[in-house]
Amino acid sequence: MSAREVILGRLRAALGGPVPAPAEVARDYRGPGSAVVDLDLFVERLTDYRATVHRCADADVARTVDAVLGGRRVVVPPGLPRHWLPDSVTAVPDDDLGVDVVAAADGVVTGAAVAVAETGTIVLDAAADQGRRLITLLPDVHVCVLRADQVVATVPDALARVDPGRPLTWVSGPSATSDIELSRVEGVHGPRNLHVVLVAAEPGTPVDREPEARG
């Protein structure tokens, strides 16, 4: 008798008979559409993660981007709506730019696929207004423009909207990590600064928060 058979025999004896089948797992937990979207909660979560939130109307997106990145060189995905960009920025379209070019840019402006109010998470799926994951990782500042109707209540709601076959990036605040002493360090794995421009659902809604000062 081999050592393996001896060990398995002892295990069977210790267990005292056939191993029972795993218990049934309840699958009736919360699914999509089970909660109401709370935009104020979404802003609170983002702020807690040290992201900066700007709430404005669509017509004011360019003014907000100017307040954050005016006078600077920014990478933009090929499908970004051009009216989101002010004349004050030097836009560099990402036509498969090299890593060194992207890393040298002052910032990046993108759209988003969906966002989760409960967790303060933004999901990018590499669509034309978001571009390659690379361009949202290397620049120091990421300005993400998000429509209010793209914000859903929960993670199940977000999963119901995205295509799992696409390259999904889930962003909760600027990049941050900590060492063994729990000292927070930002910008190690992505941008140090995340600005979320939350666009009002109805066109023409007045701005309810002034853009942050350029910095």
Side-chain angles (χ1 to χ4, degrees):
M1 180 179 293
S2 69
R4 178 177 182 275
E5 291 171 332
V6 171
I7 293 171
L8 290 176
R10 291 174 180 173
L11 289 172
R12 292 190 189 99
L15 290 171
V19 179
E24 288 292 326
V25 178
R27 301 295 183 185
D28 57 350
Y29 41 75
R30 185 174 57 178
S34 59
V36 177
V37 177
D38 185 342
L39 288 179
D40 290 332
L41 175 64
F42 178 58
V43 172
E44 179 183 327
R45 293 284 191 265
L46 286 169
T47 303
D48 188 52
Y49 291 143
R50 301 191 186 182
T52 302
V53 181
H54 313 263
R55 300 180 74 165
C56 68
D58 185 71
D60 294 307
V61 171
R63 184 168 68 90
T64 304
V65 173
D66 173 66
V68 179
L69 287 169
R72 301 184 184 181
R73 193 166 181 266
V74 301
V75 176
V76 296
L80 189 80
R82 287 300 182 258
H83 73 276
W84 287 354
L85 297 175
D87 294 336
S88 60
V89 303
T90 300
V92 182
D94 178 34
D95 52 0
D96 203 23
L97 297 171
V99 172
D100 55 340
V101 177
V102 177
D106 297 304
V108 59
V109 181
T110 75
V114 67
V116 184
E118 188 175 65
T119 62
T121 303
I122 296 167
V123 184
L124 310 176
D125 67 358
D129 64 342
Q130 299 152 55
R132 297 181 295 159
R133 188 168 186 262
L134 171 73
I135 67 173
T136 63
L137 292 179
L138 297 182
D140 190 56
V141 180
H142 180 190
V143 176
C144 183
V145 183
L146 181 72
R147 299 191 316 273
D149 60 10
Q150 289 181 291
V151 182
V152 297
T154 66
V155 171
D157 291 313
L159 290 172
R161 286 202 184 189
V162 298
D163 178 355
R166 296 191 64 82
L168 302 177
T169 302
W170 298 65
V171 179
S172 295
S175 170
T177 188
S178 61
D179 59 20
I180 195 170
E181 295 180 346
L182 300 182
S183 298
R184 181 183 173 100
V185 180
E186 298 177 342
V188 177
H189 309 295
R192 286 188 306 121
N193 301 282
L194 174 64
H195 291 258
V196 178
V197 182
L198 185 58
V199 179
E202 294 296 330
T205 300
V207 177
D208 61 10
R209 182 179 299 183
E210 287 300 316
E212 302 289 332
R214 196 174 295 170

